[in-house]
Amino acid sequence: MTDWLFAPPIWLVLVIVIAGIAVFIYANARTSTQGRLGGVAIAIAGVLLFVVGRFVDTPLEACVKRTYAIIAAVEAADWTKMESLLNNNTSVMNFRGAKEIADGARKRADQFGLKRAFVLGRDQVQRQNVIDVVVSVLSEQNMPPQIRTTWRFKYEVRSDGILLSEIAPESTGELSADQMRQRLGK
């Protein structure tokens, strides 16, 4: 239900607005004041649906934006920003907590000479209160020059907000999850 309210397809918005205009025109031809007001109300409802859908983020959209912000912070070597985007309970392999993860990321970025990180693709799945955002990232660094990795960001939607509980490597064609853990482990 929230998808229809917070991420409505454009065709739905257009159908509602056009229906409102049609009711207005029909009522106007018959000089029905209540009909005209109803038509205007329907058209306004369509416009409001569009505005809400574009300016209010669903939890799924918020998780995707947060994932991209974390990747951008790593690429920019903005460790303070990265730490602010993590939760104290977040874990990445053997690292736990925002500060420890940011410090580990800084050390690995320096160790490998990270230059850039590009998101090649993403997939997101929401199952009740758990949202998984899986991103495929191409990174440029000194050694090896380029490598493609895949990461799963696991979020939990709670009454007090959205918690990023875990960031885990996924197997790719180039590296298995175990090989990534060995390379990036403590």
Side-chain angles (χ1 to χ4, degrees), residues 104-165:
R106 177 186 308 115
K107 288 177 189 172
R108 296 315 173 268
D110 291 344
Q111 175 186 350
F112 293 110
L114 180 67
K115 297 174 187 171
R116 306 264 330 255
F118 305 95
V119 176
L120 298 175
R122 75 158 199 270
D123 186 25
Q124 62 273 345
V125 177
Q126 182 170 2
R127 292 176 310 280
Q128 297 193 359
N129 292 335
V130 176
I131 298 173
D132 285 332
V133 179
V134 180
V135 290
S136 178
V137 179
L138 179 68
S139 57
E140 289 182 3
Q141 61 267 332
N142 293 334
M143 291 185 55
Q146 288 185 338
I147 192 163
R148 186 177 64 88
T149 57
T150 302
W151 297 88
R152 177 178 304 276
F153 290 71
K154 182 179 177 184
Y155 295 91
E156 296 174 18
V157 180
R158 299 180 174 187
S159 59
D160 59 338
I162 298 173
L163 170 74
L164 174 56
S165 59

Side-chain angles (χ1 to χ4, degrees), residues 87-102 165-166 186:
N87 297 93
N88 288 329
N89 294 334
T90 304
S91 65
V92 180
M93 297 178 299
N94 297 327
F95 301 100
R96 186 155 182 87
K99 178 134 182 66
E100 188 175 326
I101 293 168
S165 59
E166 180 183 21
K186 284 188 176 182

